[in-house]
Amino acid sequence: AQSVTQLGSHVSVSEGALVLLRCNYSSSVPPYLFWYVQYPNQGLQLLLKYTSAATLVKGINGFEAEFKKSETSFHLTKPSAHMSDAAEYFCAVSNDAGNMLTFGGGTRLMVKP
Amino acid sequence: EPEVTQTPSHQVTQMGQEVILRCVPISNHLYFYWYRQILGQKVEFLVSFYNNEISEKSEIFDDQFSVERPDGSNFTLKIRSTKLEDSAMYFCASSWGQGGYNEQFFGPGTRLTVL
């Protein structure tokens, strides 16, 4: 069975600072990993996904994530936070059949001016 | 850009009543999903649906829940007799293919409040 842990339910950074949102996973098969973002009153939007093609994955809005098998991690980073990045971020892992996502608890990112 | 839509955005119902949540997936997608998020908790998988059959379901998805694709465009989630603990945001999603690498596209959600 898959599981995802996101360390830090709330993260606060200053505008222009590095964003680091942590995700650790557990999976019995090679994982497919995803980061979704949820803006207020909106659905979940895919930021990026890891599908074993490359360990460093680039996504939309300047975000990227690095898959580290030895650490079972898939942390999300952005070099310079923007006010518009304030949202909730969810890490998720797919089962092997691809018909079910297991989500982490989410991390709310706040960006201070 | 095509998107998943859901109606209503907010539904209030009395305990014991039946509710139907509606979704219109992206038109060329073949796989459909429901998830829910109780306030302050994780997004949880409920069910996946393909070719008019349930392909996977969680233990949350008991006999009180059912899904249907009544026509070529809608995908519905029915809760037969709502409980207080069914209050949550319900998300519909769809994907073109299956397999862990396929992206699921999510709708904006329906907030269900059971009184």
Side-chain angles (χ1 to χ4, degrees), chain B residues 3-5 20-34 47-55 61 65-78 92-96:
Chain B
E3 58 183 16
V4 177
T5 59
I20 297 176
L21 309 183
R22 302 181 191 280
C23 168
V24 178
I26 294 172
S27 63
N28 64 344
H29 284 187
L30 303 175
Y31 299 84
F32 314 110
Y33 315 86
W34 284 101
V47 66
S48 59
F49 190 84
Y50 168 70
N51 199 25
N52 284 319
E53 289 185 349
I54 290 173
S55 58
F61 194 87
F65 292 89
S66 63
V67 288
E68 190 179 29
R69 188 153 162 83
D71 53 42
S73 58
N74 289 283
F75 179 51
T76 62
L77 175 69
K78 182 193 291 187
C92 174
S94 68
S95 65
W96 181 85

Side-chain angles (χ1 to χ4, degrees), chain A residues 19-64:
Chain A
V19 175
L20 171 61
L21 304 183
R22 298 178 187 274
C23 172
N24 288 88
Y25 70 90
S26 170
S27 176
S28 56
V29 296
Y32 296 106
L33 295 158
F34 303 81
W35 275 100
Y36 282 87
V37 60
Q38 184 181 30
Y39 298 103
N41 300 315
Q42 295 188 27
L44 300 167
Q45 179 184 3
L46 184 70
L47 274 178
L48 49 80
K49 62 182 179 182
Y50 169 74
T51 58
S52 78
T55 57
L56 183 63
V57 182
K58 294 188 184 300
I60 62 171
N61 301 337
F63 284 93
E64 61 182 37

